[in-house]
Amino acid sequence: MKAHYFMAGVAALLAASAAQAQTPVPVPAPAAAAAPARPAGSPAVLSPVVVYDLGSLIQDSLAGQDMSNKLKAIRDQINRELEPDQRQLESELRAILTSSVQDSQSAAGRQRQEAFQRLNNEFQQKQERLSQVMQLTERNAIDAFNKAIAPALQQTLVARNGLIAISANQVEAFIPGVDMTADLITRLNATTKTISVVRATLPTQGGAAAPAAAGAPAAAPAGAPLPARPPAAAPRRP
């Protein structure tokens, strides 16, 4: 009876591990805006405060699409690294489950179950480590994206005669004319089409910092699917 309960528990644990391995960490999803972007043809309204939709900026700009595609490729690579271990565990579990009750309760059967549990624990640790790698990669990428859009954000703000730019998901309501998202995407597409995204390395036990993505700040700055962090605040107007 104990062997039956053990195998049922292991089967449930492996099923959960398999589900997590399919998507260790999702690629950042665009942040939800509090209100829809300015409709095409809607006239701009002069205002000291303008807003932009971060979700649309990531989804519709060339730089945002490039970042998302690169993050997805890294996530897929990590999933492929987990697949052999997952298949091995599934194969071993099937073999154990199909063994007779007598075999499972023998000394050799118990040793096999214990070996399986050790393998499963190692898989869980590897999965957690790779999940942390993906999260750090995403954070580095988002910081690189923030750095890349900062000039376009400032230029668009000045062109709209604004004093402050606020992400739309931080605003409860606004009239369409103060949304500068479309202008910002146009300006960003003209200057920045790609974002450097590099798979991160976890810090060593000695505490050395993981290298940041090329083009991003050296320090680790990553949901989607990361919850995506809003771009850095625009510099104050001189």
Side-chain angles (χ1 to χ4, degrees):
M1 182 65 68
K2 291 183 178 179
H4 172 75
Y5 286 136
F6 171 82
M7 296 315 303
V10 170
L13 180 62
L14 183 57
S17 300
Q20 293 177 7
Q22 295 302 316
T23 309
V25 179
V27 171
R38 172 162 56 96
S42 178
V45 174
L46 292 180
S47 170
V49 178
V50 290
V51 301
Y52 59 94
D53 180 355
L54 178 59
S56 295
L57 190 60
I58 293 176
Q59 179 177 321
D60 298 332
S61 71
L62 297 176
Q65 292 169 3
D66 179 72
M67 178 187 70
S68 296
N69 290 338
K70 290 175 178 175
L71 285 172
K72 182 180 183 303
I74 294 174
R75 184 190 63 186
D76 291 344
Q77 180 187 58
I78 287 177
N79 285 338
R80 287 193 297 271
E81 293 175 16
L82 291 169
E83 286 175 359
D85 295 327
Q86 183 181 338
R87 286 196 299 268
Q88 179 185 5
L89 284 170
E90 291 172 344
S91 176
E92 181 64 12
L93 178 60
R94 283 194 296 269
I96 294 175
L97 290 175
T98 55
S99 62
S100 66
V101 174
Q102 181 178 358
D103 288 342
S104 66
Q105 293 179 345
S106 67
R110 290 194 297 270
Q111 290 176 356
R112 186 175 191 179
Q113 294 168 17
E114 292 171 357
F116 172 85
Q117 186 63 62
R118 287 193 297 271
L119 286 175
N120 190 62
N121 290 340
E122 292 172 0
F123 175 75
Q124 294 288 331
Q125 293 171 3
K126 179 178 181 180
Q127 185 182 47
E128 174 61 24
R129 185 176 69 255
L130 291 177
S131 176
Q132 293 174 5
V133 167
M134 189 66 212
Q135 291 178 41
L136 180 56
T137 300
E138 291 170 344
R139 289 198 299 270
N140 289 347
I142 285 296
D143 272 10
F145 183 76
N146 290 343
K147 182 178 180 180
I149 71 171
L153 183 62
Q154 174 68 12
Q155 293 165 9
T156 308
L157 175 63
V158 173
R160 293 290 295 266
N161 291 320
L163 300 178
I164 300 174
I166 302 177
S167 177
N169 66 332
Q170 298 175 352
V171 181
E172 292 185 2
F174 56 86
I175 62 173
V178 301
D179 183 359
M180 69 174 193
T181 303
D183 298 338
L184 178 55
I185 291 175
T186 298
R187 194 178 296 273
L188 182 61
N189 285 348
T191 60
T192 306
K193 296 178 175 59
T194 63
I195 299 292
S196 179
V197 179
V198 177
R199 177 169 168 168
T201 301
L202 292 179
T204 63
Q205 291 183 347
L226 140 92
R229 298 186 306 178
R236 293 182 179 179
R237 185 177 179 184

